[in-house]
Amino acid sequence: MFGSTKDKSPALPAVAGKQIDTLIAEQCTLEGDLTAQNSVKIDGRIKGTLRAEGRAIIGTTGVVQGDVHAPDLLVLGRLEGNVFAQRLHLQASARILGNIETQSLQVDPGAHYQGSVTMVDPHAPRLALPQADKPANVDPPADA
């Protein structure tokens, strides 16, 4: 009670047992790129690229207009841009307009996305696509 040494500062919210390190509140608008070394939750607006090294959450009131790069992305709000994530979860209120590149995709009933989805296998080698200015089939020299 009196003389307690416990920290009385308000903690940022936790989602699914994980602490949120950075919070962009509903009243905030950020114009420009945002890079977070840990987790980030967006309840406001971002006009620019979002890069998170931890979990990224776009809350129900959150809007991101730009690409999102994160190992773990949870979307409840709106995203107008491309997604590059290892794990992506779209909850029922999610709206995405853009392409998705991910290893794992979970889409809850009611979620909407418009764009292509590429499922990435981290163990498969990437194939090089032929360039437009080079012929697709080139025979090796006769003396090879």
Side-chain angles (χ1 to χ4, degrees), residues 34-125:
L34 173 64
T35 301
Q37 292 181 342
N38 293 310
S39 61
V40 61
K41 183 174 185 204
I42 310 300
D43 286 331
R45 296 178 73 92
I46 292 182
K47 294 179 182 178
T49 300
L50 170 61
R51 293 180 189 276
E53 292 181 25
R55 187 168 210 210
I57 301 167
I58 301 174
T60 54
T61 59
V63 177
V64 175
Q65 294 174 309
D67 294 347
V68 176
H69 301 259
D72 186 10
L73 176 60
L74 172 62
V75 180
L76 295 94
R78 196 167 82 223
L79 170 60
E80 298 171 7
N82 299 316
V83 174
F84 303 92
Q86 292 172 2
R87 290 173 306 281
L88 174 60
H89 182 178
L90 305 179
Q91 290 200 345
S93 56
R95 303 291 179 260
I96 293 183
L97 176 60
N99 298 325
I100 297 170
E101 185 174 304
T102 186
Q103 293 175 15
S104 172
L105 175 61
Q106 179 180 344
V107 181
D108 292 353
H112 293 276
Y113 63 87
Q114 182 177 345
S116 67
V117 176
T118 302
M119 298 298 291
V120 178
D121 181 355
H123 305 294

